[in-house]
């Protein structure tokens, strides 16, 4: 089937079997291998990308269902020359060991900070009325869909807190 | 994954017409169906994509709240009306899955997600739900997550949804559409079925019928609590969960609706238990009596025996919190 995906502002016209997941379309058909496959079953978060601004597990979605959608992957967030604030923060705090989960962590965290900004509550929020704050407990809960086999969690949380604080200062 | 034809529905009418062909399944968020299709536990020949249908509204009506079947779990949990008047529903949704999954998961798909029974997922094993008549490998096998209430000799699976437990306590109804324009409304209480000897038939949904919306009656005052007990603090299914809506009047329980997750093939409610609470002053003895009524028929399967005392303790904790005096609340 013919599918058009806008990935990181570039249109990709792809001819795909309906079985191809969004993850495989991004990696194998569009050739963007930054997004990783860990479990392929929605359990690890390595495949997290943003679709129309929202984070999802690209392994549990069909590419044909995203015809016309705008997708952002790790390659679209920043470049080695111009890192996104979260990318820079992960380097600053040493937020990874092997790095396999990192693209998913950073895509997830990028969208997660927007969810906090929009005032979405979480399971650990004391009240549902907000304001939502990027505390350690809130970040841990909101990032629970991203597993790290190296267990770099303390520094991942530190990176996200750093990026959140920098944004506060800039605002 | 087996090959299938993909059809994107442009309207509810189209979707229902397409679903008349045998072997067709609707796909909404896909977070459960695609997982099962990858394991070849579900093998539809045709997928009708309903994710772009105009069923995304959350609207307040005289009859209560109408939640479109395509509303995502994230949007529903964050909705200002839901947060304010049905906090139990927000809490149950936020206790489930992960941020990424909730962005995709829909209201209709969440209700129809299948059990997490390990043998259901493993096509090499006997499972009456997956393959009627083949047997049940969970009975006498590993059954830590399985049912203690309402199970049968054919199947001891539990329903995994957190949202459905909250909706059951809130007395929600489900609006169903059929090809040819049929529309009916079914209370959630009558929507799910116990396994009996047909565990593969999980709801009263007819082939080709679609969930269009979930309807909530107006919120009653009082406290709403969702308590979920699981193996880790986040991103895990419930072993036991309790959804409570409870109202006190002059030191006595005036209204109580309690639904339980992790115990049965569907969200569980006991009229007897609720009846025993009404008009009473809260006390540990009363909570214990309530648990006796809930668990009178409970039967462990070995690995899940712990759920019986766990349900008792979780119920007592929720009742204590829900009936505590304002100042005494932790
Ligand atoms: C790792 C992981 C952890 C999870 N943890 C939790 C948890 O803790 N708690 C919890 O409650 N859930 C949990 N879930 C399950 C998740 O909530 C469900 O997968 C999700 O709600 C399903 O919604 P969907 O829209 O993606 O459904 P789909 O996968 O699209 O569909 C599910 C089923 O419903 C049918 N269907 C969908 N919409 C309709 C409709 N409108 N009318 C008729 N039929 C329809 C489909 O044909 C299919 O059979 C978890 C899932 C994963 C992968
Ligand atoms: S408990 Fe039900 S779902 Fe699990 S193996 Fe037995 S029949 Fe299948
Ligand atoms: S690869 Fe998608 S969640 Fe693990
Ligand atoms: S850094 Fe190795 S998996 Fe996270």
């Amino acid at each position: 089937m013919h599918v058009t995906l806008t990935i990181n502002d570039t249109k990709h016209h792809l001819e795909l079997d309906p079985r191809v997941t969004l993850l495989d379309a991004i990696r194998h058909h569009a050739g963007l291998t930054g997004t990783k496959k860990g479990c392929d079953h929605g359990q690890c978060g390595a495949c997290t990308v943003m679709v129309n601004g929202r984070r999802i597990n690209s392994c549990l979605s069909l590419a044909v269902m995203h015809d016309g959608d705008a997708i952002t992957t790790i390659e679209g967030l920043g470049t080695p020359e111009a890192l996104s604030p979260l990318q820079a923060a992960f380097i600053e705090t040493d937020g990874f060991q092997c790095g396999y989960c990192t693209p998913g962590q950073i895509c997830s965290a990028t969208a997660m900070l927007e969810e906090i900004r929009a005032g979405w509550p979480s399971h650990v929020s004391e009240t549902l009325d907000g304001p939502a704050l990027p505390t350690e407990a809130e970040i841990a809960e909101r990032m629970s869909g991203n597993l790290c086999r190296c267990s770099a969690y303390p520094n991942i949380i530190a990176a996200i807190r750093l990026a959140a604080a920098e944004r506060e200062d800039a605002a | 994954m087996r090959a299938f034809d993909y059809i994107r529905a442009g309207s509810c009418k189209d979707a229902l017409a397409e679903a008349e062909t045998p072997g067709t399944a609707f796909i909404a968020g896909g977070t459960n169906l695609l997982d099962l299709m990858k394991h070849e536990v579900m093998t539809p020949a045709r997928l009708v994509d309903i994710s772009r249908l105009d069923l995304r509204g959350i609207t307040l009506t005289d009859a209560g709240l109408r939640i479109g079947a395509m509303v995502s779990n994230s949007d529903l949990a964050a909705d200002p009306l839901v947060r304010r008047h049905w906090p139990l529903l927000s809490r149950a949704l936020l206790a489930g899955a992960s941020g990424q999954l909730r962005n995709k998961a829909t209201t209709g798909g969440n209700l129809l997600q299948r059990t997490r029974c390990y043998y259901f997922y493993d096509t090499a094993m006997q499972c009456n739900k997956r393959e009627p008549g083949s047997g049940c490998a969970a009975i006498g096998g590993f059954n830590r997550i399985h049912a203690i209430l309402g199970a049968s000799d054919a199947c001891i699976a539990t329903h995994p949804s957190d949202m459905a437990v909250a909706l059951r306590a809130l007395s929600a109804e489900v609006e169903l559409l059929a090809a040819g324009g049929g529309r009916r409304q079914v209370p959630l209480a009558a929507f799910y079925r116990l396994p009996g000897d047909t565990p593969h038939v999980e709801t009263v949904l007819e082939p080709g019928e679609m969930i269009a919306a979930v309807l909530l009656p107006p919120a009653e005052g009082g406290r709403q609590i969702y308590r979920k007990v699981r193996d880790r603090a986040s991103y895990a299914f419930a072993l036991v969960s309790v959804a409570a809506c409870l109202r006190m009047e002059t030191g006595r329980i005036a209204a109580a609706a309690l639904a339980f997750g992790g115990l049965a093939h569907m969200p569980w409610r006991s009229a007897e238990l609720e009846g025993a609470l009404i008009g009473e002053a809260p006390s540990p003895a009363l909570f214990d009596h309530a648990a006796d009524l809930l668990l009178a028929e409970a039967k462990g399967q070995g690995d899940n025996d712990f759920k019986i005392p766990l349900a008792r303790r979780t119920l007592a904790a929720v009742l204590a919190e829900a009936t505590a005096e304002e100042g005494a609340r932790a």
Side-chain angles (χ1 to χ4, degrees):
Chain A
M1 294 185 69
H2 188 79
V3 182
T4 304
L5 301 176
T6 302
I7 310 179
N8 307 328
D9 295 326
T10 303
K11 273 205 163 122
H12 293 259
H13 300 280
L14 307 171
E15 205 51 54
L16 302 174
D17 184 288
R19 283 175 287 186
V20 174
T21 60
L22 180 60
L23 174 59
D24 288 343
I26 291 168
R27 285 181 56 85
H28 303 315
H29 298 268
L32 292 162
T33 53
T35 308
K36 300 295 184 240
K37 183 186 288 189
C39 64
D40 214 20
H41 286 280
Q43 299 178 355
C44 74
C47 65
T48 305
V49 300
M50 287 184 273
V51 174
N52 305 330
R54 289 212 174 171
R55 54 177 172 159
I56 68 159
N57 304 95
S58 60
C59 70
L60 280 190
S61 205
L62 296 173
V64 286
M65 295 179 76
H66 291 288
D67 190 32
D69 282 348
I71 290 136
T72 307
T73 69
I74 188 72
E75 292 93 337
L77 290 177
T79 61
E81 297 73 40
L83 297 167
S84 81
L86 268 162
Q87 286 173 324
F90 267 72
I91 294 172
E92 174 74 27
T93 67
D94 217 1
F96 45 80
Q97 287 180 34
C98 76
Y100 197 81
C101 71
T102 314
Q105 299 279 4
I106 292 177
C107 281
S108 186
T110 302
M112 183 275 290
L113 290 177
E114 290 307 316
E115 294 168 6
I116 289 185
R117 180 173 269 193
W120 287 12
S122 87
H123 173 63
V124 298
S125 304
E126 197 115 329
T127 79
L128 294 174
D129 310 326
L133 297 169
T135 61
E136 185 169 335
E138 285 284 355
I139 292 172
E141 163 60 27
R142 291 169 191 264
M143 292 296 292
S144 71
N146 290 86
L147 305 189
C148 175
R149 181 64 183 79
C150 302
S151 206
Y153 298 112
N155 292 0
I156 292 171
I157 291 175
I160 298 170
R161 294 196 74 177
L162 178 63
E166 280 171 355
R167 201 168 72 169
E168 276 303 297
D169 290 346
Chain B
M1 203 189 299
R2 303 269 181 89
F4 56 83
D5 291 332
Y6 170 84
I7 301 122
R8 182 180 304 136
S11 67
C12 288
K13 207 168 157 227
D14 280 359
L16 291 163
E18 291 290 353
E20 287 197 291
T21 307
T24 303
F26 294 124
I27 185 162
T31 59
N32 188 228
L33 183 57
L34 289 172
D35 189 16
L36 290 165
M37 285 172 67
K38 288 183 183 192
H39 287 291
E40 299 196 355
V41 172
M42 292 177 80
T43 52
R46 302 170 79 240
L47 281 189
V48 175
D49 179 358
I50 55 174
S51 66
R52 299 193 190 199
L53 295 185
D54 187 19
L55 298 171
R56 289 187 176 275
I58 302 177
T59 40
L60 199 58
T61 70
D62 290 343
L65 194 72
R66 185 189 162 83
I67 305 160
M70 288 311 123
V71 172
S72 74
N73 288 180
S74 300
D75 285 330
L76 188 54
D79 183 80
L81 286 170
V82 174
R83 281 199 252 176
R84 188 167 185 81
H85 300 292
W86 295 275
L88 170 58
L89 179 54
S90 284
R91 287 291 180 188
L93 286 160
L94 293 171
S98 66
Q100 291 96 313
L101 288 161
R102 291 192 296 269
N103 275 339
K104 268 260 133 192
T106 64
T107 308
N110 190 314
L111 285 177
L112 293 174
Q113 61 174 299
R114 314 286 309 269
T115 185
R116 308 305 285 200
C117 170
Y118 339 108
Y119 303 104
F120 175 68
Y121 264 81
D122 184 347
T123 53
M125 304 301 292
Q126 297 174 315
C127 171
N128 287 322
K129 190 185 277 302
R130 179 169 29 75
E131 206 181 314
S134 64
C136 170
I139 298 174
F142 292 101
N143 46 40
R144 188 164 183 277
I145 63 170
H146 290 74
I148 56 169
L149 289 169
S152 72
D153 293 342
C155 178
I156 58 170
T158 51
H159 195 273
S161 168
D162 290 298
M163 182 191 81
V165 180
L167 291 179
R168 183 75 179 89
L170 294 169
S171 301
E173 306 215 339
V174 187
E175 185 182 288
L176 306 177
L177 300 180
R183 180 186 288 263
R184 61 181 177 134
Q185 211 164 302
V186 181
L188 203 60
F191 181 70
Y192 291 114
R193 298 171 38 128
L194 286 177
D197 49 17
T198 54
H200 58 293
V201 189
E202 294 168 347
T203 66
V204 299
L205 208 65
E206 297 287 340
E209 241 179 339
M210 184 168 84
I211 299 179
V214 167
L215 309 152
L216 290 182
E220 296 193 25
R223 281 187 197 150
Q224 298 184 12
I225 296 171
Y226 189 71
R227 178 81 62 103
K228 176 173 177 177
V229 184
R230 44 183 159 174
D231 280 327
R232 58 181 182 206
S234 188
Y235 204 20
F237 287 92
L239 292 166
V240 169
S241 72
V242 180
C245 307
L246 199 137
R247 189 163 47 81
M248 298 291 287
E249 262 169 35
T250 58
R252 293 184 179 270
I253 300 170
L258 290 148
F260 300 84
L263 304 187
H265 201 247
M266 56 185 191
W268 196 263
R269 228 175 127 165
S270 161
E272 236 186 326
L273 181 175
E274 290 171 16
L277 294 174
I278 306 297
E280 300 295 325
S283 71
L286 178 69
F287 302 162
D288 223 35
H289 176 57
D292 286 341
L293 293 173
L294 171 71
L295 298 165
E297 314 259 292
K299 181 169 169 277
Q301 299 285 339
D303 297 341
N304 68 350
D305 292 349
F306 74 94
K307 283 190 178 181
I308 300 175
L310 182 60
R312 178 178 292 275
R313 285 201 302 274
T314 312
L315 173 60
V318 167
L319 287 174
E321 187 184 336
T323 57
E325 287 186 29
E326 209 48 57
R329 256 207 291 175

